[in-house]
């Protein structure tokens, strides 16, 4: 057993904040949260004067897919040979020895959603994983977590001029629909008489999981019109989905609310590197919050290095987002949008003991992580 005693707890549950409270950990899980907890024989971390919160959750990154400081040899996130590649699995490309994982947990990030990039209209399968572990088997939390798709500039840029669809936004939407229709037809035939079933098709079988709503579709879209195209297609096929990046989402909040869209926003701590980012704004989180739209923040690592996600959240506070909402955007909101809030995102009984302690406020850039716990074990101590 381990007892974190007398800390300033951002629980992300109930009142969200408890001062002078304890967290009891047993068998890798949170056993209790409250004041004056008793645990005879437990190891104790004295958190007096420190802030304690659930491990940070990054809802969209590519950590391990583009290895830090390696270049082309470590670039394994985009298979730019076919615009429809749902059969690809991030699990097969991630290098858990990438030093970015160490930097992540040393700065409080304990859970990431990572996967293929946005070159392809359908890029492949994301995985949710912890940032600490001996190998991928130790680190994986959900696989597949989601399917990646993309709208806007990136598929056009990667395939335009090659004489291959898509060269236009029309073609991107058409390629997406064709793939979904084909997978739906395959799914129907596979449910029919055995002697009439088609040969197994890995691509269609992977995409069938999306049609059965077993996994969501992560829909990369920056511009408002691309966001609405993504929503339109998701509704046509009755998909479980999230809008990834959602850069101009703050310009169409009524549309997002009407659709009930889940939004993973960012990266914000970056330059406007292409035309569809021209309206990128740190004010977007405040607008979404005020419109009543739940959202998470992302790094899109390596666009923003994984360990800067708390800095991104802090700047959102500077631009008007309430402090607790910024913390939720990198903890409980992120876990909920990923469908993993049963285990992550808050300090609550029964959840994984992935916990971070700070010597100052988590959103103060001058603060240090003093302890990171994963599965109840101290994996980093300053």
């Amino acid at each position: 057993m381990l007892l974190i005693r007398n800390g300033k707890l951002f629980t992300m549950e109930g009142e969200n904040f408890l001062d002078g409270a304890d967290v009891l950990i047993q068998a890798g899980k949170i056993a209790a949260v409250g004041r004056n907890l008793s645990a005879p024989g437990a190891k104790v971390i004295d958190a007096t004067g420190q802030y304690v919160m659930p491990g940070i959750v990054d809802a969209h990154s590519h950590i391990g897919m583009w290895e830090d400081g390696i270049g082309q040899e470590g670039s394994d996130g985009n298979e730019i040979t076919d615009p429809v590649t749902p059969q690809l699995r991030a699990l097969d490309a991630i290098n858990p020895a990438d030093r970015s994982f160490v930097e992540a947990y040393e700065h409080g990030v304990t859970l990431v959603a990572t996967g293929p990039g946005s070159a392809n209209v359908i890029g492949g399968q994301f995985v949710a994983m912890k940032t600490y572990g001996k190998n991928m088997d130790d680190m994986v939390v959900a696989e597949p977590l989601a399917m990646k798709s993309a709208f806007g500039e990136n598929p056009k840029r990667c395939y335009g001029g090659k004489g291959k669809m898509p060269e236009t936004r029309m073609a991107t939407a058409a390629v997406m629909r064709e793939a979904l229709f084909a997978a739906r037809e395959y799914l129907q035939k596979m449910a029919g008489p055995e002697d009439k079933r088609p040969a197994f098709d890995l691509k269609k079988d992977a995409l069938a999981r999306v049609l059965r709503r077993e996994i969501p579709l992560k829909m990369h879209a920056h511009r408002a019109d691309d966001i609405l195209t993504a929503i339109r297609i998701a509704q046509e096929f009755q998909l479980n989905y999230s809008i990834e990046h959602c850069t101009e989402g703050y310009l169409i909040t009524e549309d997002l609310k009407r659709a009930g869209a889940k939004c993973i926003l960012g990266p914000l701590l970056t330059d406007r590197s292409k035309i569809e980012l021209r309206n990128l704004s740190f004010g977007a989180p405040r607008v979404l919050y005020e419109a009543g739209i739940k959202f998470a923040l992302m790094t899109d690592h390596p666009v923003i290095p994984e360990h800067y996600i708390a800095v991104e959240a802090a700047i959102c506070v500077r631009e008007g987002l309430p402090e607790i909402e910024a913390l939720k955007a990198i903890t409980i909101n992120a876990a909920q949008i990923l469908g993993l809030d049963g285990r992550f995102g808050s300090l609550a009984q029964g959840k994984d003991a992935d916990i971070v302690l700070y010597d100052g406020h988590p959103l103060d850039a001058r603060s240090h992580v003093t302890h990171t716990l994963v599965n109840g074990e101290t994996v980093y101590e300053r």
Side-chain angles (χ1 to χ4, degrees):
M1 285 193 298
L2 175 65
L3 181 64
I4 301 173
R5 176 175 288 162
N6 197 36
K8 301 177 180 181
L9 273 56
F10 281 113
T11 63
M12 309 304 163
E13 295 262 344
E15 297 177 6
N16 293 313
F17 183 75
L18 293 174
D19 198 1
D22 312 328
V23 182
L24 180 63
I25 298 164
Q26 189 170 15
K29 300 286 186 178
I30 297 173
V33 178
R35 292 187 174 89
N36 303 314
L37 298 182
S38 178
K43 180 181 177 182
V44 174
I45 295 177
D46 184 359
T48 301
Q50 294 187 284
Y51 288 85
V52 184
M53 64 179 278
I56 293 172
V57 179
D58 186 353
H60 180 122
S61 81
H62 307 287
I63 188 170
M65 304 288 287
W66 277 269
E67 295 176 54
D68 187 63
I70 292 179
Q72 179 59 31
E73 174 56 30
S75 176
D76 288 301
N78 277 320
E79 180 63 36
I80 314 177
T81 57
D82 181 347
V84 179
T85 55
Q87 75 276 28
L88 302 184
R89 305 195 308 168
L91 180 68
D92 298 323
I94 294 167
N95 181 3
D98 181 354
R99 66 180 178 182
S100 296
F101 286 105
V102 176
E103 290 179 330
Y105 68 72
E106 286 181 348
H107 289 79
V109 182
T110 57
L111 183 70
V112 292
T114 184
S118 50
N120 294 345
V121 179
I122 302 176
Q125 301 163 42
F126 260 61
V127 61
M129 60 185 293
K130 302 202 179 191
T131 55
Y132 179 85
K134 295 178 181 178
N135 54 54
M136 288 298 294
D137 291 336
D138 294 333
M139 301 165 78
V140 167
V141 168
E143 199 284 322
L145 171 72
M147 184 69 70
K148 177 68 180 294
S149 65
F151 296 83
E153 290 184 29
N154 287 10
K156 287 179 51 171
R157 184 178 65 251
C158 291
Y159 290 95
K162 293 182 178 180
K164 190 173 187 177
M165 292 175 70
E167 286 197 348
T168 64
R169 281 178 163 82
M170 291 186 297
T172 295
V175 168
M176 174 73 73
R177 284 190 177 95
E178 286 176 350
L180 289 168
F181 274 120
R184 186 162 69 184
E185 182 180 35
Y186 172 81
L187 193 58
Q188 292 168 346
K189 289 181 178 179
M190 289 296 281
E194 188 171 351
D195 61 341
K196 295 184 178 180
R197 292 176 188 172
F200 179 78
D201 187 312
L202 187 59
K203 293 174 71 168
K204 293 174 184 175
D205 184 73
L207 204 50
R209 291 188 172 193
V210 176
L211 291 168
R212 290 194 298 258
R213 297 175 63 90
E214 293 173 3
I215 58 173
L217 189 61
K218 280 179 165 285
M219 307 180 88
H220 162 119
H222 287 281
R223 220 166 70 176
D225 58 332
D226 292 324
I227 294 170
L228 294 175
T229 297
I231 290 172
R232 188 180 310 117
I233 293 174
Q235 291 178 337
E236 286 175 24
F237 290 89
Q238 300 181 318
L239 306 179
N240 178 13
Y241 70 97
S242 57
I243 301 298
E244 311 289 306
H245 304 296
C246 203
T247 302
E248 292 188 358
Y250 72 100
L251 302 176
I252 53 168
T253 54
E254 288 304 314
D255 298 283
L256 293 175
K257 285 187 70 174
R258 190 179 306 113
K262 295 178 284 189
C263 302
I264 300 177
L265 181 63
L268 299 174
L269 191 63
T270 184
D271 66 329
R272 297 179 178 89
S273 58
K274 50 186 176 179
I275 293 171
E276 64 187 5
L277 297 182
R278 66 189 181 279
N279 289 318
L280 183 147
S281 172
F282 262 108
R286 174 187 57 80
V287 175
L288 293 180
Y289 166 70
E290 291 176 350
I293 297 170
K294 182 179 290 187
F295 65 91
L297 292 174
M298 67 153 87
T299 63
D300 207 26
H301 176 99
V303 179
I304 301 174
E306 193 67 62
H307 53 289
Y308 289 148
I309 190 168
V311 176
E312 182 179 47
I315 298 174
C316 293
V317 175
R318 188 193 69 188
E319 298 303 311
L321 183 67
E323 177 183 283
I324 192 63
E325 296 303 322
L327 288 170
K328 285 182 177 179
I330 57 174
T331 54
I332 190 62
N333 286 6
Q336 288 173 345
I337 291 172
L338 295 176
L340 299 173
D341 52 306
R343 290 178 58 186
F344 305 99
S346 63
L347 300 179
Q349 185 178 10
K351 293 199 176 185
D352 285 24
D354 298 348
I355 300 172
V356 188
L357 283 70
Y358 294 83
D359 60 9
H361 194 286
L363 298 182
D364 186 336
R366 298 167 297 180
S367 298
H368 303 99
V369 170
T370 63
H371 299 75
T372 302
L373 281 67
V374 175
N375 299 322
E377 298 293 329
T378 301
V379 301
Y380 171 71
E381 183 172 359
R382 178 176 166 80

